[in-house]
Amino acid sequence: MSDALAGFEKPEDPDLLVGIETSDDAAVYRLSDDIAMINTVDFITPPVDDPYWFGQISAANSISDVYSMGGRPVTALNVVMFPSKHLDMGVLREILKGGHDKVIEAGACLVGGHSVDDNEPKYGLCVNGVVHPDRVITNAGAKPGDALVLTKPLGSGVLFNAVRAGKFEFKVLERETLPIIASLNGTAMQLALKYELHACTDVTGFGILGHSLEMALGCSKHIHIEYQALPFYSGAYEMYKRGETTGSNVANRALVARHTLVLSRTLTKEQEELLYDPQTSGGLLIALPADQAGELINEMHSAGLGVAVRIGEVTDEAVGLTVR
């Protein structure tokens, strides 16, 4: 979309605190000295066949953009595309129930929405949140000396495709992986805001390298990723070894290739593919002073976010990425 918007006149409004300039997760507009509103919209095709899981995952994915800006979700509107002539309306009800339950869990209000008849189901939310204008967290504020903390594993993209291809059991995915994917990022952000948080984004469709690159470009610094520290969902590596992939890996690789990427360690083809694997409702990627990272991770573990881990650092080098 950024290419399609190239050349459009940018808003000259001092109250627009976050627009499209740094490919951030949501827009932020100041309403008063104490309140700014966060606006975001996202919808996806079904990552799994189960309609209730689909609704939960999509809603968590949409709400995450408000959390990644440091905000609190307040209202949500359903965005629905559904083939009413081909699927039973009970399927739609289960999708909407999953979304409703996740919005309620987030402490927000589901207040309506819009639907159209389409050939393929799609579902998501337009989410509105609030944040103090002086406490907005963007993806562009990381500083040299910051540590990077990731709060969820990687590899959901290939697992979703592997289930569709019959190479991975849905029961295993449902038991081990879907509860993490569908979990909200609210607790992680609530804990992170107690620290000197410099930047944040959620890891979604561009994969860990794509979203790390956005953070590096936003702050004009260099990001180092420790491959051995990266958490992956069980089975993801094995699925790449069995020849499974996603429709986004090639595009994500091309996106990163436009900029400086240094692989300072030898990786197998499958290990590399995991770096470009697109996430749905992924974790937060948080930049904060290195001496605060350990305490934050310990707090996250105590709060049940056992996967939270330090995965890298920000340095004052030329803009780019290094995987070591």
Side-chain angles (χ1 to χ4, degrees):
M1 182 180 290
S2 59
D3 291 340
L5 292 173
F8 284 26
E9 183 178 348
K10 295 179 181 178
E12 297 293 337
D13 189 331
D15 289 318
L16 181 62
L17 304 182
V18 180
I20 66 171
E21 292 76 19
T22 58
S23 301
D24 222 316
D25 298 312
V28 182
Y29 191 89
R30 179 171 48 214
L31 298 177
S32 69
D33 291 343
D34 299 318
I35 298 177
M37 65 177 179
I38 303 171
N39 303 120
T40 183
V41 61
D42 203 344
F43 59 89
I44 60 174
T45 56
V48 292
D49 290 337
D50 184 284
Y52 184 71
W53 274 117
F54 173 31
Q56 288 190 92
I57 292 167
S58 184
N61 183 68
S62 300
I63 296 168
S64 179
D65 287 339
V66 171
Y67 291 135
S68 67
M69 307 301 294
R72 175 176 62 86
V74 177
T75 63
L77 297 165
N78 284 319
V79 179
V80 182
M81 282 134 275
F82 190 76
S84 60
K85 297 180 180 65
H86 304 287
L87 290 179
D88 187 86
M89 294 303 288
V91 174
L92 177 58
R93 178 173 176 79
E94 283 298 297
I95 294 171
L96 297 179
K97 185 176 187 301
H100 168 271
D101 290 353
K102 196 56 61 171
V103 170
I104 297 303
E105 182 184 339
C109 301
L110 188 59
V111 293
H114 185 71
S115 63
V116 297
D117 204 291
D118 201 356
N119 292 329
E120 183 180 16
K122 303 174 186 71
Y123 174 66
L125 298 173
C126 173
V127 188
N128 303 296
V130 292
V131 66
H132 193 285
D134 297 334
R135 298 172 191 156
V136 178
I137 307 299
T138 73
N139 66 356
K143 299 180 180 180
D146 279 354
L148 296 176
V149 173
L150 180 64
T151 65
K152 285 186 183 182
L154 306 164
S156 63
V158 74
L159 290 178
F160 286 143
N161 280 9
V163 168
R164 293 191 193 99
K167 296 180 181 179
F168 196 85
E169 288 190 29
F170 176 75
K171 288 183 178 180
V172 176
L173 187 77
E174 185 175 39
R175 181 178 66 248
E176 299 180 0
T177 306
L178 293 188
I180 301 174
I181 294 174
S183 65
L184 295 170
N185 284 326
T187 298
M189 177 50 70
Q190 186 177 24
L191 293 172
L193 287 172
K194 296 164 58 178
Y195 296 83
E196 189 183 337
L197 188 56
H198 291 155
C200 182
T201 189
D202 57 348
V203 181
T204 51
F206 296 139
I208 185 62
L209 286 193
H211 290 284
S212 296
L213 176 64
E214 286 183 340
M215 189 175 282
L217 292 172
C219 67
S220 298
K221 297 295 184 287
H222 199 94
I223 284 180
H224 293 259
I225 302 292
E226 302 286 347
Y227 190 89
Q228 288 300 116
L230 293 175
F232 296 108
Y233 287 114
S234 175
Y237 176 75
E238 289 74 17
M239 290 304 101
Y240 276 114
K241 286 202 71 173
R242 292 182 61 180
E244 195 58 53
T245 186
T246 82
S248 298
N249 281 54
V250 171
N252 288 346
R253 184 183 288 270
L255 171 69
V256 173
R258 299 180 206 168
H259 304 275
T260 301
L261 171 64
V262 178
L263 293 175
S264 64
R265 62 175 296 147
T266 301
L267 299 175
T268 66
K269 177 185 176 182
E270 295 79 15
Q271 288 174 322
E272 278 196 37
E273 288 302 310
L274 285 165
L275 295 172
Y276 301 103
D277 189 272
Q279 306 309 291
T280 302
S281 188
L284 299 179
L285 180 63
I286 296 167
L288 78 167
D291 60 0
Q292 299 180 25
E295 186 175 349
L296 171 59
I297 290 169
N298 287 338
E299 278 206 64
M300 287 183 172
H301 290 176
S302 296
L305 306 176
V307 183
V309 63
R310 177 173 172 168
I311 66 162
E313 63 179 346
V314 182
T315 64
D316 196 14
E317 301 172 76
V319 178
L321 299 172
T322 295
V323 178
R324 60 194 186 191

